[in-house]
Amino acid sequence: MINIEWGKLPFGYSKTDYNIRCYYRDGKWGKLEISSSEFLNLHISATALHYGQQAFEGMKAYRGKDGKIRLFRWEENFKRMKRSANGILMQPITKDLFKEAITKAVLMNERFVPPHGTGATLYLRPLLIGSGPQIGVKPADEYLFMVFVLPVGPYFKEGFNPVKIAVIRDSDRAAPLGTGSIKVGGNYASSLPGVKKAHDEGYGAPMYLDSVHKKYIDEIGAANFFGIKDNTYITPKSPSILPSITNMSIMQLAEDMGLKVERRPIDIEELSTFEEVGACGTAAIISPIGEIYDIDKDKKYNFCKDGKAGPISTQIYNRLVAIQYGDEPDSHNWVEIIK
Ligand code: PLP
Ligand code: COI
């Protein structure tokens, strides 16, 4: 029997039994390989190491009350990974190999899929890297696609309690015509100074503004931003944010609940008018925000005055999670049972 305190898991790395690998060589993808090693044997001149040719995904497997294991909208993760690969001239993985690899990675590590009701899930990390050597700045001619998995708890230690966010103005995560809208490692490297600054100030994550005007809200660390007012769900439209699959799903659920949905630029000054605000993403799920501190302007925006998530965020959270775990009907066909 596996000895994990599921309810106490952080969002952190831990070793599981197997990972899946697949190489693209001589112009074609090979067969999936199963490995029990956490290490790669990689060429010192691989483009992933020097020129950032790499892209990743983040998704989760959920165990229902019925004991079955579910994936949520995996095709959207596949599509985004393909867009990420094309965005930095990598060979995209095929849909069939992607599906086979994520399914195998979960099933071969089935004992790590957390039991229902513990708040923990199995996080899947598909990763595509340029493995072929280049020293000139050009795309590799060999690629490695991998999937590893690990059981995780909440991304923010607060769970579904209000988090505190700090606005960062002295560094940018992405540029409008850069790579902000695809899921490549470089974006996360450039976000690290902002993450550090937010943490140093005692905040959970940075909020990035658009890098041109420093006026409109882009996103929050590794999550999209949303605000709610006047029965309307509002989320930024920006060329430099990652289109979140969670956010896409929430927009649909908000509409189902009778809310108006707007995707448009959100001026940071508009923050003072929202009734509820939050961050959303696979890791973050829906995290209500209690405070946003604009460090350089020394201005604070406060929400969740009673220390709890607002009613609409709570309703959307409950509905999303119920669909993911199979507790409520999956009327949009978002969930696939893999075992
Ligand atoms: N924005 C960034 C920068 C992210 O890293 C993530 C996480 O994947 C998200 C948003 C949320 O996207 P998703 O809901 O597809 O996980
Ligand atoms: C996710 O939500 O899956 C993410 O990718 C977050 C991660 C960068 C920690």
Side-chain angles (χ1 to χ4, degrees):
M1 265 306 280
I2 193 161
N3 187 17
I4 294 178
E5 282 195 87
W6 302 106
K8 292 199 179 150
L9 275 177
F11 188 88
Y13 181 82
S14 60
K15 186 180 187 310
T16 51
D17 292 335
Y18 300 103
N19 56 80
I20 311 296
R21 304 167 182 210
C22 186
Y23 286 92
Y24 180 87
R25 289 184 179 126
D26 302 322
K28 55 180 188 303
W29 285 104
K31 285 201 164 33
L32 296 188
E33 298 168 20
I34 296 164
S35 172
S36 55
S37 167
E38 295 167 282
F39 296 91
L40 296 175
N41 191 10
L42 197 59
H43 195 287
I44 54 172
S45 199
T47 60
L49 297 178
H50 299 263
Y51 305 129
Q53 255 204 322
Q54 72 88 252
F56 69 98
E57 273 303 322
M59 44 204 300
K60 283 175 172 173
Y62 306 83
R63 194 183 297 273
K65 270 193 197 117
D66 52 10
K68 293 185 176 151
I69 303 172
R70 292 164 167 81
L71 293 177
F72 183 72
R73 307 195 79 173
W74 68 267
E75 280 180 274
E76 295 299 331
N77 292 93
F78 162 72
K79 283 195 260 176
R80 190 169 65 191
M81 183 163 237
K82 188 168 164 184
R83 257 195 331 106
S84 299
N86 288 330
I88 55 168
L89 306 190
M90 296 198 292
Q91 180 66 37
I93 186 76
T94 66
K95 188 171 173 181
D96 288 348
L97 284 172
F98 184 88
K99 174 72 188 302
E100 196 187 337
I102 55 172
T103 309
K104 258 206 170 89
V106 175
L107 297 183
M108 301 227 28
N109 293 291
E110 196 183 335
R111 67 193 189 107
F112 293 96
V113 183
H116 185 268
T118 55
T121 45
L122 190 75
Y123 186 72
L124 282 69
R125 178 49 68 85
L127 176 66
L128 175 67
I129 68 170
S131 53
Q134 295 289 3
I135 204 67
V137 180
K138 348 180 230 243
D141 47 19
E142 290 187 4
Y143 292 88
L144 168 58
F145 173 68
M146 287 161 273
V147 183
F148 62 87
V149 300
L150 47 141
V152 295
Y155 185 64
F156 290 112
K157 66 177 185 335
E158 290 85 353
F160 189 61
N161 291 310
V163 294
K164 289 166 65 182
I165 302 298
V167 178
I168 300 299
R169 291 175 180 271
D170 59 358
S171 66
D172 290 317
R173 168 190 170 273
L177 297 178
T179 55
S181 64
I182 56 176
K183 203 162 167 63
V184 298
N187 297 337
Y188 298 82
S190 53
S191 78
L192 290 176
V195 170
K196 180 172 185 315
K197 183 163 177 173
H199 288 171
D200 287 352
E201 295 275 342
Y203 287 76
M207 170 183 273
Y208 287 102
L209 303 180
D210 80 283
S211 57
V212 179
H213 309 96
K214 290 284 178 198
K215 181 173 165 66
Y216 301 103
I217 296 173
D218 251 3
E219 57 185 333
I220 293 183
N224 276 184
F225 170 85
F226 67 85
I228 295 168
K229 64 176 170 186
D230 307 328
N231 207 40
T232 308
Y233 177 94
I234 306 163
T235 193
K237 185 177 167 76
S238 159
S240 49
I241 65 177
L242 190 76
S244 153
I245 297 160
T246 313
N247 199 6
M248 196 199 317
S249 311
I250 295 176
M251 284 188 255
Q252 179 65 56
L253 297 179
E255 215 175 278
D256 295 352
M257 285 163 44
L259 270 79
K260 231 174 95 189
V261 172
E262 290 178 5
R263 259 189 81 222
R264 59 164 171 82
I266 303 176
D267 191 318
I268 179 152
E269 305 260 320
E270 195 179 338
L271 275 178
S272 57
T273 68
F274 286 114
E275 295 152 17
E276 299 178 32
V277 294
C280 63
T282 298
I285 318 179
I286 293 176
S287 298
I289 296 173
E291 180 187 321
I292 298 176
Y293 179 37
D294 195 335
I295 303 174
D296 294 342
K297 301 219 158 161
D298 194 22
K299 183 167 179 185
K300 282 189 178 161
Y301 301 87
N302 288 100
F303 309 91
C304 309
K305 300 235 163 63
D306 57 357
K308 289 200 311 250
I312 298 180
S313 306
T314 305
Q315 232 180 312
I316 298 177
Y317 172 88
N318 287 339
R319 176 90 183 102
L320 176 72
V321 171
I323 294 174
Q324 289 170 331
Y325 284 97
D327 294 337
E328 278 184 27
D330 172 26
S331 49
H332 297 288
N333 269 325
W334 285 340
V335 168
E336 182 165 334
I337 295 176
I338 56 168
K339 184 166 177 184

